[in-house]
Coordinates of all heavy atoms in Angstrom, one line a residue:
M1121 N -6.9 7.8 17.3 CA -7.7 6.7 17.0 C -7.1 5.9 15.9 O -6.6 6.5 14.9 CB -9.1 7.2 16.5 CG -10.0 6.1 16.0 SD -11.6 6.7 15.4 CE -12.3 7.3 16.9
K1122 N -6.9 4.6 16.1 CA -6.3 3.7 15.0 C -7.1 3.9 13.7 O -8.3 4.1 13.7 CB -6.4 2.3 15.5 CG -5.2 1.9 16.4 CD -5.3 0.4 16.9 CE -4.9 -0.5 15.8 NZ -4.8 -1.9 16.2
C1123 N -6.4 3.7 12.7 CA -7.0 3.7 11.4 C -6.4 2.7 10.5 O -5.3 2.1 10.7 CB -7.0 5.1 10.7 SG -5.4 5.5 9.9
K1124 N -7.1 2.3 9.4 CA -6.7 1.4 8.4 C -6.6 2.1 7.1 O -7.6 2.8 6.7 CB -7.6 0.2 8.4 CG -7.1 -1.0 7.6 CD -7.9 -2.3 7.7 CE -7.8 -2.9 9.1 NZ -6.6 -3.7 9.3
E1125 N -5.5 1.8 6.4 CA -5.4 2.3 5.0 C -5.8 1.2 4.1 O -5.3 0.0 4.3 CB -4.0 2.8 4.8 CG -3.7 3.3 3.4 CD -2.3 3.7 3.2 OE1 -1.5 3.7 4.1 OE2 -1.9 4.1 2.0
V1126 N -6.7 1.4 3.2 CA -7.1 0.4 2.2 C -6.8 0.9 0.8 O -7.2 2.0 0.5 CB -8.6 0.1 2.4 CG1 -9.0 -1.0 1.4 CG2 -8.9 -0.3 3.8
A1127 N -6.1 0.1 0.1 CA -5.8 0.4 -1.3 C -6.0 -0.8 -2.2 O -5.6 -1.9 -1.8 CB -4.3 0.9 -1.4
V1128 N -6.7 -0.6 -3.3 CA -6.9 -1.6 -4.3 C -6.5 -1.1 -5.6 O -6.8 0.0 -6.0 CB -8.4 -2.0 -4.3 CG1 -8.6 -3.2 -5.3 CG2 -8.9 -2.4 -2.9
F1129 N -5.6 -1.9 -6.3 CA -5.1 -1.4 -7.6 C -4.8 -2.6 -8.5 O -4.7 -3.7 -8.0 CB -3.8 -0.6 -7.3 CG -2.9 -1.2 -6.4 CD1 -1.9 -2.1 -6.8 CD2 -2.9 -0.9 -5.0 CE1 -1.1 -2.7 -5.9 CE2 -2.1 -1.5 -4.1 CZ -1.1 -2.4 -4.6
K1130 N -4.7 -2.2 -9.8 CA -4.5 -3.2 -10.8 C -3.1 -3.0 -11.3 O -2.7 -1.9 -11.8 CB -5.5 -3.1 -11.9 CG -5.4 -4.1 -13.0 CD -6.6 -3.8 -14.0 CE -6.6 -4.9 -15.1 NZ -7.0 -6.2 -14.7
F1131 N -2.3 -4.1 -11.3 CA -0.9 -4.1 -11.9 C -1.0 -4.3 -13.4 O -2.0 -5.0 -13.8 CB -0.1 -5.2 -11.3 CG 0.9 -4.8 -10.3 CD1 0.6 -4.1 -9.1 CD2 2.3 -5.0 -10.6 CE1 1.6 -3.8 -8.2 CE2 3.3 -4.6 -9.7 CZ 2.9 -4.0 -8.5
K1132 N -0.1 -3.8 -14.1 CA 0.0 -4.2 -15.5 C 0.4 -5.6 -15.6 O 1.2 -6.1 -14.8 CB 1.1 -3.3 -16.2 CG 0.8 -1.8 -16.2 CD 2.0 -1.0 -16.8 CE 1.7 0.4 -16.7 NZ 2.9 1.2 -17.0
E1133 N -0.2 -6.3 -16.5 CA 0.0 -7.8 -16.6 C 1.5 -8.1 -16.9 O 2.0 -9.1 -16.3 CB -0.9 -8.4 -17.7 CG -1.2 -9.8 -17.5 CD -2.4 -10.3 -18.2 OE1 -3.4 -9.5 -18.2 OE2 -2.4 -11.4 -18.7
D1134 N 2.2 -7.3 -17.6 CA 3.6 -7.6 -17.9 C 4.5 -7.2 -16.8 O 5.7 -7.4 -16.9 CB 4.0 -7.0 -19.2 CG 3.9 -5.5 -19.2 OD1 3.2 -4.9 -18.3 OD2 4.6 -4.8 -20.1
C1135 N 4.0 -6.8 -15.6 CA 4.8 -6.4 -14.5 C 4.5 -7.3 -13.3 O 4.9 -7.0 -12.2 CB 4.4 -4.9 -14.1 SG 4.9 -3.7 -15.3
L1136 N 3.9 -8.4 -13.5 CA 3.5 -9.3 -12.4 C 4.7 -10.1 -11.8 O 4.7 -10.4 -10.6 CB 2.4 -10.3 -12.8 CG 1.0 -9.7 -12.9 CD1 0.0 -10.8 -13.4 CD2 0.6 -9.1 -11.6
D1137 N 5.8 -10.3 -12.6 CA 6.9 -11.0 -12.0 C 7.5 -10.1 -10.9 O 7.9 -9.0 -11.2 CB 8.0 -11.3 -13.1 CG 7.6 -12.4 -14.0 OD1 6.8 -13.2 -13.7 OD2 8.2 -12.5 -15.1
G1138 N 7.6 -10.7 -9.7 CA 8.2 -9.9 -8.6 C 7.2 -8.9 -8.0 O 7.6 -8.1 -7.1
A1139 N 6.0 -8.9 -8.4 CA 5.0 -7.9 -7.9 C 4.8 -8.0 -6.4 O 4.7 -7.0 -5.7 CB 3.7 -8.0 -8.7
I1140 N 4.6 -9.2 -5.9 CA 4.4 -9.4 -4.4 C 5.6 -8.9 -3.7 O 5.4 -8.1 -2.7 CB 4.1 -10.9 -4.1 CG1 2.7 -11.3 -4.7 CG2 4.1 -11.1 -2.6 CD1 2.4 -12.7 -4.6
E1141 N 6.8 -9.2 -4.1 CA 8.0 -8.7 -3.4 C 8.1 -7.2 -3.5 O 8.4 -6.5 -2.5 CB 9.2 -9.3 -4.0 CG 9.4 -10.8 -3.7 CD 8.5 -11.7 -4.7 OE1 8.0 -11.2 -5.7 OE2 8.3 -12.9 -4.4
L1142 N 7.7 -6.6 -4.6 CA 7.8 -5.2 -4.8 C 6.7 -4.5 -3.8 O 7.1 -3.5 -3.2 CB 7.4 -4.8 -6.2 CG 7.5 -3.3 -6.6 CD1 8.8 -2.7 -6.2 CD2 7.1 -3.1 -8.0
N1143 N 5.6 -5.1 -3.7 CA 4.6 -4.5 -2.8 C 5.1 -4.6 -1.4 O 5.0 -3.6 -0.7 CB 3.3 -5.4 -2.9 CG 2.3 -5.0 -4.0 OD1 1.6 -4.1 -3.9 ND2 2.5 -5.7 -5.1
K1144 N 5.6 -5.7 -1.0 CA 6.1 -5.8 0.4 C 7.4 -4.9 0.6 O 7.5 -4.4 1.7 CB 6.5 -7.3 0.7 CG 5.2 -8.2 0.8 CD 5.5 -9.6 1.1 CE 4.3 -10.4 1.2 NZ 4.5 -11.8 1.5
D1145 N 8.2 -4.8 -0.4 CA 9.4 -3.9 -0.2 C 8.9 -2.4 0.0 O 9.4 -1.8 0.9 CB 10.2 -3.9 -1.5 CG 11.0 -5.2 -1.6 OD1 11.1 -6.0 -0.7 OD2 11.6 -5.4 -2.7
L1146 N 7.9 -2.0 -0.7 CA 7.4 -0.6 -0.5 C 6.7 -0.5 0.8 O 6.9 0.5 1.5 CB 6.4 -0.3 -1.7 CG 5.9 1.1 -1.7 CD1 7.0 2.1 -1.7 CD2 5.0 1.3 -2.9
M1147 N 6.0 -1.5 1.3 CA 5.4 -1.4 2.6 C 6.4 -1.3 3.7 O 6.3 -0.6 4.6 CB 4.5 -2.6 2.8 CG 3.3 -2.8 2.0 SD 2.0 -1.5 2.3 CE 2.5 -0.3 1.1
T1148 N 7.5 -2.1 3.5 CA 8.6 -2.1 4.5 C 9.3 -0.8 4.6 O 9.6 -0.3 5.6 CB 9.6 -3.3 4.2 OG1 8.9 -4.5 4.3 CG2 10.7 -3.3 5.2
E1149 N 9.5 -0.2 3.4 CA 10.1 1.2 3.4 C 9.2 2.2 4.1 O 9.7 3.0 4.8 CB 10.3 1.6 1.9 CG 11.4 0.8 1.2 CD 11.5 0.9 -0.3 OE1 10.8 1.8 -0.8 OE2 12.2 0.2 -0.9
M1150 N 7.9 2.1 3.8 CA 6.9 3.0 4.5 C 7.0 2.7 6.0 O 7.0 3.7 6.8 CB 5.5 2.8 4.0 CG 5.3 3.4 2.7 SD 3.6 3.2 2.0 CE 2.5 3.2 3.3
Q1151 N 7.0 1.5 6.4 CA 7.1 1.1 7.8 C 8.3 1.7 8.5 O 8.3 2.3 9.6 CB 7.0 -0.4 8.0 CG 6.8 -0.8 9.5 CD 6.4 -2.3 9.6 OE1 7.0 -3.1 8.8 NE2 5.5 -2.6 10.4
N1152 N 9.4 1.6 7.8 CA 10.7 2.1 8.4 C 10.7 3.6 8.5 O 11.4 4.2 9.4 CB 11.9 1.6 7.5 CG 12.1 0.1 7.6 OD1 11.7 -0.5 8.6 ND2 12.8 -0.4 6.6
A1153 N 10.0 4.3 7.7 CA 9.9 5.8 7.7 C 8.8 6.3 8.6 O 8.6 7.5 8.7 CB 9.7 6.3 6.3
S1154 N 8.0 5.4 9.2 CA 6.8 5.8 9.8 C 6.9 6.2 11.3 O 5.9 6.6 11.9 CB 5.7 4.7 9.7 OG 6.1 3.7 10.6
N1155 N 8.1 6.2 11.9 CA 8.3 6.5 13.3 C 7.4 5.6 14.1 O 6.7 6.1 15.1 CB 8.1 8.0 13.6 CG 9.1 8.8 12.9 OD1 10.3 8.5 12.9 ND2 8.7 10.0 12.4
N1156 N 7.3 4.4 13.8 CA 6.5 3.4 14.5 C 5.0 3.6 14.4 O 4.2 3.0 15.2 CB 6.9 3.3 16.0 CG 8.3 2.8 16.1 OD1 8.8 1.9 15.4 ND2 9.1 3.4 17.0
S1157 N 4.5 4.4 13.5 CA 3.1 4.6 13.4 C 2.4 3.6 12.4 O 1.2 3.4 12.5 CB 2.7 6.0 12.9 OG 3.3 6.3 11.7
L1158 N 3.2 3.0 11.6 CA 2.7 1.9 10.7 C 2.9 0.6 11.5 O 4.0 0.1 11.7 CB 3.4 1.8 9.4 CG 2.8 0.9 8.3 CD1 3.3 1.3 6.9 CD2 2.9 -0.6 8.6
L1159 N 1.8 0.1 12.1 CA 1.8 -1.0 13.0 C 2.0 -2.4 12.3 O 2.8 -3.2 12.7 CB 0.5 -1.0 13.8 CG 0.2 0.2 14.6 CD1 -1.2 0.2 15.2 CD2 1.3 0.5 15.6
E1160 N 1.2 -2.6 11.2 CA 1.4 -3.8 10.5 C 0.7 -3.6 9.1 O -0.1 -2.8 8.9 CB 0.8 -5.0 11.2 CG -0.6 -5.1 11.4 CD -1.1 -6.3 12.2 OE1 -0.3 -7.4 12.1 OE2 -2.2 -6.3 12.8
F1161 N 1.1 -4.5 8.2 CA 0.5 -4.4 6.9 C 0.3 -5.9 6.3 O 0.9 -6.8 6.7 CB 1.3 -3.6 5.9 CG 2.7 -4.2 5.6 CD1 2.8 -5.1 4.6 CD2 3.8 -3.8 6.3 CE1 4.1 -5.7 4.3 CE2 5.0 -4.3 6.0 CZ 5.2 -5.2 5.0
E1162 N -0.7 -5.9 5.4 CA -0.9 -7.2 4.7 C -1.1 -6.8 3.2 O -1.7 -5.8 2.9 CB -2.2 -7.9 5.2 CG -2.1 -8.3 6.6 CD -3.4 -8.8 7.1 OE1 -4.4 -8.1 7.2 OE2 -3.4 -10.1 7.5
V1163 N -0.6 -7.7 2.3 CA -0.7 -7.5 0.9 C -1.5 -8.8 0.4 O -1.1 -9.9 0.7 CB 0.6 -7.5 0.2 CG1 0.5 -7.4 -1.3 CG2 1.4 -6.2 0.7
Y1164 N -2.6 -8.5 -0.3 CA -3.4 -9.6 -0.8 C -3.4 -9.5 -2.4 O -3.4 -8.4 -2.9 CB -4.9 -9.4 -0.4 CG -5.1 -9.7 1.1 CD1 -4.9 -8.7 2.1 CD2 -5.4 -11.0 1.5 CE1 -5.0 -9.0 3.4 CE2 -5.5 -11.3 2.9 CZ -5.4 -10.3 3.8 OH -5.5 -10.6 5.1
Q1165 N -3.5 -10.6 -3.0 CA -3.6 -10.7 -4.5 C -4.8 -11.6 -4.8 O -5.1 -12.6 -4.2 CB -2.3 -11.4 -5.0 CG -2.3 -11.4 -6.5 CD -1.0 -12.1 -7.0 OE1 -0.3 -12.8 -6.3 NE2 -0.6 -11.7 -8.2
S1166 N -5.6 -11.1 -5.7 CA -6.9 -11.8 -6.1 C -6.6 -13.1 -6.8 O -5.8 -13.1 -7.8 CB -7.7 -10.9 -7.0 OG -8.8 -11.6 -7.6
P1167 N -7.2 -14.2 -6.4 CA -7.0 -15.5 -7.1 C -7.8 -15.5 -8.4 O -7.4 -16.2 -9.3 CB -7.6 -16.5 -6.1 CG -8.5 -15.8 -5.2 CD -8.0 -14.3 -5.1
K1168 N -8.8 -14.7 -8.5 CA -9.6 -14.6 -9.8 C -8.9 -13.8 -10.8 O -9.0 -14.0 -12.0 CB -11.0 -14.1 -9.5 CG -11.9 -15.1 -8.8 CD -13.4 -14.8 -9.0 CE -13.9 -13.8 -8.0 NZ -15.3 -13.6 -8.1
D1169 N -8.2 -12.7 -10.4 CA -7.5 -11.8 -11.3 C -6.2 -11.4 -10.6 O -6.2 -10.5 -9.8 CB -8.4 -10.5 -11.6 CG -7.7 -9.6 -12.5 OD1 -6.5 -9.8 -12.9 OD2 -8.3 -8.6 -13.0
P1170 N -5.1 -12.1 -10.9 CA -3.9 -11.9 -10.2 C -3.2 -10.5 -10.5 O -2.2 -10.2 -9.8 CB -2.9 -13.0 -10.8 CG -3.7 -13.7 -11.9 CD -5.1 -13.2 -11.9
T1171 N -3.8 -9.7 -11.3 CA -3.3 -8.3 -11.5 C -3.9 -7.4 -10.4 O -3.4 -6.3 -10.3 CB -3.7 -7.7 -12.8 OG1 -5.1 -7.6 -13.0 CG2 -3.1 -8.6 -14.0
I1172 N -4.9 -7.9 -9.6 CA -5.5 -7.0 -8.6 C -4.9 -7.3 -7.2 O -4.8 -8.4 -6.8 CB -7.0 -7.3 -8.5 CG1 -7.7 -7.1 -9.8 CG2 -7.7 -6.5 -7.4 CD1 -7.8 -5.7 -10.3
F1173 N -4.4 -6.2 -6.6 CA -3.8 -6.3 -5.3 C -4.5 -5.4 -4.3 O -5.1 -4.4 -4.7 CB -2.3 -5.8 -5.3 CG -1.4 -6.8 -6.0 CD1 -1.3 -6.8 -7.4 CD2 -0.7 -7.7 -5.3 CE1 -0.5 -7.7 -8.1 CE2 0.2 -8.6 -5.9 CZ 0.3 -8.6 -7.3
T1174 N -4.5 -5.8 -3.1 CA -5.1 -5.0 -2.0 C -4.1 -4.8 -0.9 O -3.4 -5.8 -0.5 CB -6.4 -5.6 -1.5 OG1 -7.3 -5.7 -2.5 CG2 -7.0 -4.8 -0.3
W1175 N -4.0 -3.6 -0.3 CA -3.2 -3.4 0.9 C -4.1 -3.1 2.0 O -5.1 -2.3 1.9 CB -2.3 -2.1 0.7 CG -1.2 -2.2 -0.2 CD1 -0.7 -3.2 -0.9 CD2 -0.4 -1.0 -0.6 NE1 0.3 -2.8 -1.7 CE2 0.5 -1.5 -1.6 CE3 -0.4 0.3 -0.3 CZ2 1.5 -0.6 -2.1 CZ3 0.5 1.2 -0.9 CH2 1.4 0.7 -1.8
L1176 N -3.9 -3.7 3.2 CA -4.5 -3.4 4.4 C -3.4 -3.0 5.4 O -2.6 -3.8 5.7 CB -5.3 -4.6 4.9 CG -6.4 -5.1 4.0 CD1 -7.1 -6.3 4.6 CD2 -7.5 -4.0 3.7
I1177 N -3.4 -1.7 5.8 CA -2.3 -1.2 6.6 C -2.9 -0.7 7.9 O -3.9 0.2 7.8 CB -1.5 -0.1 5.9 CG1 -1.1 -0.6 4.5 CG2 -0.4 0.3 6.8 CD1 -0.4 0.4 3.7
D1178 N -2.4 -1.1 9.0 CA -2.9 -0.6 10.3 C -1.9 0.5 10.8 O -0.7 0.3 10.8 CB -2.9 -1.7 11.4 CG -4.0 -2.7 11.1 OD1 -5.1 -2.3 10.7 OD2 -3.8 -3.9 11.4
W1179 N -2.5 1.7 11.1 CA -1.7 2.9 11.5 C -2.2 3.2 12.9 O -3.3 3.0 13.3 CB -2.0 4.1 10.6 CG -1.5 3.9 9.2 CD1 -2.2 3.4 8.2 CD2 -0.2 4.3 8.7 NE1 -1.5 3.5 7.0 CE2 -0.2 4.0 7.3 CE3 0.9 4.8 9.3 CZ2 0.9 4.2 6.5 CZ3 2.0 5.0 8.5 CH2 2.0 4.7 7.1
T1180 N -1.3 3.9 13.7 CA -1.7 4.4 15.0 C -2.8 5.4 14.9 O -3.7 5.4 15.8 CB -0.5 5.0 15.8 OG1 0.1 6.0 15.0 CG2 0.5 3.9 16.1
D1181 N -2.8 6.3 13.9 CA -3.8 7.3 13.7 C -3.7 7.8 12.3 O -2.7 7.7 11.6 CB -3.7 8.4 14.7 CG -2.4 9.1 14.7 OD1 -2.2 9.9 13.9 OD2 -1.5 8.7 15.5
A1182 N -4.7 8.5 11.8 CA -4.8 9.0 10.4 C -3.7 10.1 10.2 O -3.2 10.2 9.1 CB -6.2 9.5 10.1
K1183 N -3.5 10.9 11.2 CA -2.5 12.0 11.1 C -1.1 11.5 10.8 O -0.4 11.9 9.9 CB -2.5 12.9 12.3 CG -1.6 14.1 12.2 CD -1.6 14.9 13.5 CE -0.7 16.1 13.4 NZ 0.7 15.8 13.8
S1184 N -0.7 10.5 11.6 CA 0.6 9.9 11.4 C 0.7 9.2 10.0 O 1.7 9.2 9.4 CB 0.9 8.9 12.5 OG 1.0 9.5 13.7
A1185 N -0.4 8.5 9.7 CA -0.5 7.8 8.4 C -0.2 8.8 7.2 O 0.6 8.6 6.3 CB -1.8 7.1 8.2
K1186 N -0.9 9.9 7.3 CA -0.8 11.0 6.2 C 0.6 11.5 6.2 O 1.2 11.7 5.1 CB -1.8 12.1 6.4 CG -1.7 13.1 5.4 CD -2.9 14.0 5.3 CE -2.8 15.1 4.3 NZ -1.9 15.1 3.3
E1187 N 1.2 11.7 7.3 CA 2.6 12.2 7.4 C 3.6 11.3 6.7 O 4.5 11.7 6.0 CB 3.1 12.4 8.8 CG 2.4 13.6 9.5 CD 2.7 13.7 11.0 OE1 3.4 12.8 11.5 OE2 2.2 14.6 11.6
T1188 N 3.4 10.0 6.8 CA 4.2 9.0 6.1 C 3.9 8.9 4.7 O 4.7 8.9 3.8 CB 4.1 7.6 6.8 OG1 4.5 7.7 8.2 CG2 5.0 6.6 6.1
T1189 N 2.6 8.8 4.3 CA 2.2 8.6 2.9 C 2.5 9.9 2.1 O 2.6 9.8 0.9 CB 0.7 8.2 2.8 OG1 -0.1 9.2 3.4 CG2 0.5 6.8 3.4
D1190 N 2.6 11.0 2.8 CA 3.0 12.2 2.0 C 4.4 12.2 1.5 O 4.8 12.9 0.6 CB 2.8 13.5 2.9 CG 1.4 14.0 3.0 OD1 0.5 13.4 2.3 OD2 1.1 14.9 3.9
K1191 N 5.2 11.2 2.1 CA 6.6 11.0 1.6 C 6.7 10.0 0.5 O 7.8 9.5 0.1 CB 7.4 10.6 2.8 CG 7.5 11.5 4.0 CD 8.2 10.9 5.1 CE 8.0 11.7 6.4 NZ 8.5 10.9 7.6
W1192 N 5.5 9.5 0.0 CA 5.4 8.4 -0.9 C 6.5 8.5 -2.1 O 7.1 7.5 -2.4 CB 4.0 8.5 -1.5 CG 3.7 7.6 -2.6 CD1 3.7 7.9 -4.0 CD2 3.4 6.2 -2.5 NE1 3.4 6.8 -4.7 CE2 3.1 5.7 -3.9 CE3 3.2 5.3 -1.5 CZ2 2.8 4.4 -4.1 CZ3 2.8 4.0 -1.8 CH2 2.6 3.6 -3.1
M1193 N 6.7 9.7 -2.6 CA 7.5 9.8 -3.8 C 9.0 9.6 -3.4 O 9.8 9.3 -4.3 CB 7.4 11.2 -4.4 CG 6.0 11.4 -5.0 SD 5.4 10.2 -6.2 CE 6.4 10.6 -7.6
S1194 N 9.4 9.7 -2.2 CA 10.8 9.5 -1.7 C 11.2 8.1 -1.5 O 12.4 7.8 -1.3 CB 11.0 10.4 -0.5 OG 10.4 9.8 0.6
F1195 N 10.2 7.2 -1.4 CA 10.6 5.8 -1.1 C 11.3 5.1 -2.3 O 10.8 5.3 -3.5 CB 9.4 5.0 -0.7 CG 8.7 5.5 0.5 CD1 7.4 5.8 0.6 CD2 9.5 5.6 1.7 CE1 6.8 6.3 1.7 CE2 8.9 6.1 2.9 CZ 7.5 6.5 2.9
P1196 N 12.4 4.4 -2.1 CA 13.2 3.8 -3.2 C 12.4 2.9 -4.2 O 12.6 3.0 -5.4 CB 14.3 3.0 -2.5 CG 14.4 3.7 -1.2 CD 13.0 4.2 -0.8
S1197 N 11.4 2.2 -3.7 CA 10.6 1.3 -4.5 C 9.5 2.0 -5.3 O 8.9 1.4 -6.1 CB 10.1 0.1 -3.7 OG 11.1 -0.6 -3.2
N1198 N 9.3 3.3 -5.0 CA 8.1 3.9 -5.5 C 8.1 4.0 -7.0 O 7.1 3.8 -7.7 CB 7.9 5.3 -4.9 CG 6.7 6.0 -5.5 OD1 5.6 5.5 -5.5 ND2 7.0 7.2 -6.1
Q1199 N 9.2 4.4 -7.6 CA 9.2 4.6 -9.1 C 8.9 3.3 -9.8 O 8.0 3.3 -10.7 CB 10.6 5.1 -9.5 CG 10.6 5.4 -11.0 CD 11.9 6.0 -11.5 OE1 12.8 6.2 -10.7 NE2 12.0 6.4 -12.7
K1200 N 9.5 2.2 -9.4 CA 9.2 0.9 -10.1 C 7.7 0.5 -9.8 O 7.0 0.0 -10.7 CB 10.1 -0.2 -9.6 CG 9.9 -1.5 -10.3 CD 11.0 -2.5 -10.0 CE 10.7 -3.8 -10.8 NZ 11.7 -4.8 -10.4
F1201 N 7.3 0.7 -8.5 CA 5.9 0.3 -8.2 C 4.9 1.2 -9.0 O 4.0 0.6 -9.6 CB 5.7 0.6 -6.7 CG 4.3 0.2 -6.2 CD1 3.9 -1.1 -5.9 CD2 3.3 1.2 -6.2 CE1 2.6 -1.4 -5.6 CE2 2.0 0.9 -5.8 CZ 1.7 -0.4 -5.5
S1202 N 5.1 2.5 -9.0 CA 4.2 3.4 -9.7 C 4.1 3.1 -11.2 O 3.0 3.1 -11.8 CB 4.6 4.8 -9.5 OG 4.4 5.2 -8.1
S1203 N 5.2 2.7 -11.8 CA 5.2 2.4 -13.2 C 4.6 1.1 -13.5 O 4.3 0.8 -14.7 CB 6.7 2.5 -13.8 OG 7.5 1.5 -13.3
S1204 N 4.4 0.2 -12.5 CA 3.8 -1.1 -12.7 C 2.2 -1.0 -12.5 O 1.6 -2.0 -12.8 CB 4.3 -2.1 -11.6 OG 5.7 -2.2 -11.7
I1205 N 1.7 0.1 -12.1 CA 0.3 0.2 -11.8 C -0.5 0.6 -13.1 O -0.1 1.6 -13.8 CB 0.0 1.2 -10.7 CG1 0.6 0.9 -9.4 CG2 -1.6 1.4 -10.5 CD1 0.2 -0.5 -8.9
E1206 N -1.5 -0.2 -13.4 CA -2.4 0.1 -14.6 C -3.5 1.0 -14.1 O -3.9 1.9 -14.9 CB -2.9 -1.2 -15.2 CG -3.8 -0.9 -16.4 CD -4.2 -2.2 -17.0 OE1 -3.3 -3.1 -17.3 OE2 -5.4 -2.4 -17.3
Q1207 N -4.1 0.7 -12.9 CA -5.2 1.5 -12.5 C -5.3 1.5 -11.0 O -5.2 0.4 -10.3 CB -6.5 0.8 -13.1 CG -7.8 1.5 -12.6 CD -9.0 0.7 -13.1 OE1 -8.9 -0.4 -13.6 NE2 -10.2 1.3 -12.8
D1208 N -5.6 2.7 -10.4 CA -5.9 2.8 -9.0 C -7.4 2.6 -8.9 O -8.2 3.3 -9.5 CB -5.5 4.1 -8.4 CG -4.0 4.3 -8.3 OD1 -3.4 3.4 -7.9 OD2 -3.6 5.4 -8.6
I1209 N -7.8 1.6 -8.1 CA -9.3 1.3 -8.0 C -9.9 1.9 -6.8 O -11.0 2.5 -6.9 CB -9.5 -0.3 -8.0 CG1 -8.9 -0.9 -9.3 CG2 -10.9 -0.6 -7.8 CD1 -8.9 -2.4 -9.4
F1210 N -9.2 1.8 -5.6 CA -9.8 2.4 -4.4 C -8.6 2.7 -3.5 O -7.7 2.0 -3.4 CB -10.7 1.4 -3.7 CG -11.3 2.0 -2.4 CD1 -12.4 2.8 -2.4 CD2 -10.7 1.6 -1.2 CE1 -12.9 3.3 -1.2 CE2 -11.2 2.1 0.0 CZ -12.3 2.9 0.0
Y1211 N -8.7 3.9 -2.8 CA -7.7 4.3 -1.8 C -8.4 5.2 -0.8 O -9.0 6.1 -1.1 CB -6.6 5.0 -2.5 CG -5.5 5.5 -1.5 CD1 -4.5 4.6 -1.0 CD2 -5.6 6.8 -1.0 CE1 -3.6 5.0 -0.1 CE2 -4.6 7.2 0.0 CZ -3.6 6.3 0.4 OH -2.7 6.7 1.3
D1212 N -8.2 4.8 0.5 CA -8.8 5.7 1.6 C -8.2 5.2 2.9 O -7.7 4.1 3.1 CB -10.3 5.6 1.6 CG -10.9 6.9 2.2 OD1 -10.2 7.7 2.7 OD2 -12.2 7.0 2.0
F1213 N -8.3 6.1 3.9 CA -8.1 5.8 5.3 C -9.4 5.6 6.0 O -10.3 6.5 5.8 CB -7.3 7.0 6.0 CG -5.9 7.2 5.5 CD1 -5.6 8.2 4.6 CD2 -4.9 6.3 5.9 CE1 -4.3 8.4 4.2 CE2 -3.6 6.5 5.4 CZ -3.3 7.5 4.5
L1214 N -9.6 4.6 6.7 CA -10.8 4.3 7.4 C -10.6 4.2 8.9 O -9.6 3.6 9.3 CB -11.4 2.9 6.9 CG -11.5 2.8 5.3 CD1 -11.9 1.4 5.0 CD2 -12.5 3.8 4.8
E1215 N -11.5 4.7 9.7 CA -11.5 4.6 11.1 C -12.6 3.8 11.6 O -13.7 3.9 11.1 CB -11.5 6.0 11.7 CG -10.3 6.9 11.4 CD -10.4 8.2 12.0 OE1 -11.5 8.7 12.2 OE2 -9.3 8.8 12.3
K1216 N -12.3 2.9 12.6 CA -13.3 2.0 13.2 C -14.3 2.9 13.9 O -13.9 3.7 14.7 CB -12.6 1.0 14.0 CG -13.6 -0.1 14.5 CD -12.8 -1.2 15.2 CE -13.7 -2.3 15.6 NZ -12.9 -3.4 16.2
R1217 N -15.6 2.6 13.8 CA -16.6 3.3 14.5 C -17.4 2.4 15.4 O -17.5 1.2 15.2 CB -17.6 3.9 13.5 CG -17.0 4.9 12.6 CD -16.5 6.1 13.3 NE -15.9 7.0 12.3 CZ -15.2 8.1 12.6 NH1 -15.1 8.4 13.9 NH2 -14.7 8.9 11.7

């Protein structure tokens, strides 16, 4: 069953330069490592608070998604991305019902 990964997080204000590119780089690295299970992704930035970002990621299924996200620490952009995060607000895999 297809699933969607939803993540909402707050970037540190002094890390906003290049933040959109960093988000997209990390998503692309995940997609390349996903064995075609990461179907597509979108990165959103709040117009009211530009430090707030949301990921919407379409996966073939939750099991494949978890297999890829379990490799999170090995992605080249992860260290820079993780050090740019001030707060994780929401993260979950959701299945359409």
Side-chain angles (χ1 to χ4, degrees):
M1121 175 182 294
K1122 279 179 73 172
C1123 82
K1124 189 168 292 279
E1125 179 180 356
V1126 179
V1128 181
F1129 44 89
K1130 182 177 182 73
F1131 253 63
K1132 295 175 185 170
E1133 207 157 318
D1134 61 342
C1135 295
L1136 285 178
D1137 284 344
I1140 292 173
E1141 293 79 13
L1142 180 58
N1143 277 275
K1144 290 180 179 180
D1145 288 348
L1146 186 53
M1147 293 292 96
T1148 300
E1149 291 166 12
M1150 285 180 33
Q1151 190 169 39
N1152 291 339
S1154 75
N1155 295 320
N1156 298 317
S1157 62
L1158 193 160
L1159 303 172
E1160 66 179 339
F1161 65 85
E1162 297 175 295
V1163 176
Y1164 290 87
Q1165 185 178 24
S1166 170
K1168 289 201 275 187
D1169 181 350
T1171 65
I1172 302 294
F1173 288 85
T1174 299
W1175 292 350
L1176 300 175
I1177 306 171
D1178 290 323
W1179 295 92
T1180 55
D1181 58 81
K1183 180 179 181 277
S1184 297
K1186 181 165 176 18
E1187 289 171 0
T1188 301
T1189 57
D1190 281 351
K1191 301 174 195 169
W1192 173 260
M1193 298 304 286
S1194 69
F1195 298 125
S1197 296
N1198 178 55
Q1199 185 174 2
K1200 185 173 183 184
F1201 180 85
S1202 293
S1203 67
S1204 299
I1205 300 299
E1206 182 174 312
Q1207 177 187 6
D1208 289 320
I1209 298 170
F1210 178 83
Y1211 178 82
D1212 207 351
F1213 293 102
L1214 306 172
E1215 294 178 334
K1216 190 173 184 176
R1217 302 289 181 193

